[in-house]
Amino acid sequence: QKEVEQDPGPLSVPEGAIVSLNCTYSNSAFQYFMWYRQYSRKGPELLMYTYSSGNKEDGRFTAQVDKSSKYISLFIRDSQPSDSATYLCAMIDTGNQFYFGTGTSLTVIP
Amino acid sequence: DTGVSQDPRHKITKRGQNVTFRCDPISEHNRLYWYRQTLGQGPEFLTYFQNEAQLEKSRLLSDRFSAERPKGSFSTLEIQRTEQGDSAMYLCASSLSNLRSGELFFGEGSRLTVL
């Protein structure tokens, strides 16, 4: 079993839809949780970061962490064609090591 | 441009040749990471440096791979006797030692194609 599981998609939604992206993990040592966005042929860029259970909002993006269920989510409201990218969840363990999900490919159709 | 830069962006080589990639991190970042990413997969950790010291290497890093970070500034990743299975995007990232911000800054990657 991989330490971080992420549905690869692809996910295709119409413009304006709410998008839900999810990851599960098995390692209780993970303490920081991030979402990265990666456009085609580019390096990943950090979107959201959180270290506690609960919700964190930034504009149209909301990151949710449920440590008891070992489950994290990223919600995108009012999705735009420019949101079309691959979204990677990532986690850091107590040894400062990063673990990435496989990424979910999202296409927002105008 | 003060981001992480990688060179070359794309390298096409024949099997058996050696290739070298260079990464220039953000200047004040003392940690530098190398990852490998294949199509449809997330980045896989290869190795990382704290200043000039190479602190950890993944089992993915066979003896054909070597990385250096002389003087704790830029880093090079060399692959000797390349194989077709080495074809991938090689990503460099840098950060401060304190990762509480989760801010790992990635370069745009060096894409390797082994024919």
Side-chain angles (χ1 to χ4, degrees):
Chain A
Q1 181 189 7
K2 288 185 178 179
E3 291 189 286
V4 181
E5 299 277 358
Q6 183 174 9
D7 185 343
L11 195 58
S12 184
V13 301
E15 183 175 353
I18 296 174
V19 177
S20 172
L21 304 167
N22 310 294
C23 285
T24 59
Y25 63 96
S26 56
N27 189 346
S28 299
F30 289 148
Q31 50 183 349
Y32 302 114
F33 306 89
M34 291 76 65
W35 287 93
Y36 283 80
R37 178 174 61 196
Q38 186 174 23
Y39 291 114
S40 180
R41 300 187 177 273
K42 300 285 188 182
E45 56 178 337
L46 182 67
L47 261 184
M48 300 283 287
Y49 152 81
T50 185
Y51 59 87
S52 59
S53 284
N55 293 353
K56 181 177 181 179
E57 194 172 313
D58 184 2
R60 296 183 297 109
F61 299 90
T62 299
Q64 189 176 79
V65 174
D66 182 345
K67 287 188 175 181
S68 63
S69 300
K70 296 189 177 66
Y71 188 90
I72 69 170
S73 299
L74 178 71
F75 298 97
I76 307 174
R77 290 183 300 281
D78 187 24
S79 55
Q80 302 294 308
S82 59
D83 295 329
S84 298
T86 295
Y87 290 81
L88 297 155
C89 62
M91 304 171 192
I92 304 176
D93 65 13
T94 51
N96 278 342
Q97 185 59 264
F98 275 76
Y99 295 82
F100 286 89
T102 53
T104 299
S105 175
L106 171 68
T107 301
V108 180
I109 302 167
Chain B
D1 189 313
T2 56
V4 177
S5 63
Q6 292 188 244
D7 184 70
R9 293 291 312 281
H10 193 186
K11 177 73 176 178
I12 301 172
T13 191
K14 291 183 179 178
R15 189 176 54 187
Q17 298 294 304
N18 299 342
V19 295
T20 299
F21 301 115
R22 176 181 170 124
C23 172
D24 287 88
I26 293 171
S27 58
E28 61 267 29
H29 285 180
N30 47 14
R31 285 199 174 182
L32 186 148
Y33 299 77
W34 285 100
Y35 286 85
R36 181 174 69 188
Q37 187 177 28
T38 53
L39 197 62
Q41 299 296 316
E44 296 173 298
F45 170 76
L46 292 178
T47 188
Y48 91 94
F49 294 83
Q50 172 92 9
N51 300 313
E52 66 275 9
Q54 188 173 17
L55 296 188
E56 189 169 343
K57 292 194 289 187
S58 163
R59 287 189 297 273
L60 293 174
L61 215 64
S62 77
D63 56 7
R64 295 185 298 105
F65 288 70
S66 61
E68 294 182 340
R69 193 183 181 195
K71 302 178 183 177
S73 55
F74 73 92
S75 175
T76 57
L77 176 69
E78 182 183 17
I79 308 174
Q80 295 182 325
R81 306 181 302 281
T82 52
E83 301 173 357
Q84 288 185 323
D86 297 332
S87 295
M89 174 81 90
Y90 290 86
L91 292 164
C92 175
S94 71
S95 75
L96 297 170
S97 291
N98 178 7
L99 284 174
R100 287 178 61 86
S101 70
E103 196 105 57
L104 196 63
F105 290 86
F106 283 89
E108 300 213 330
S110 292
R111 182 172 299 278
L112 173 64
T113 301
V114 182
L115 302 176

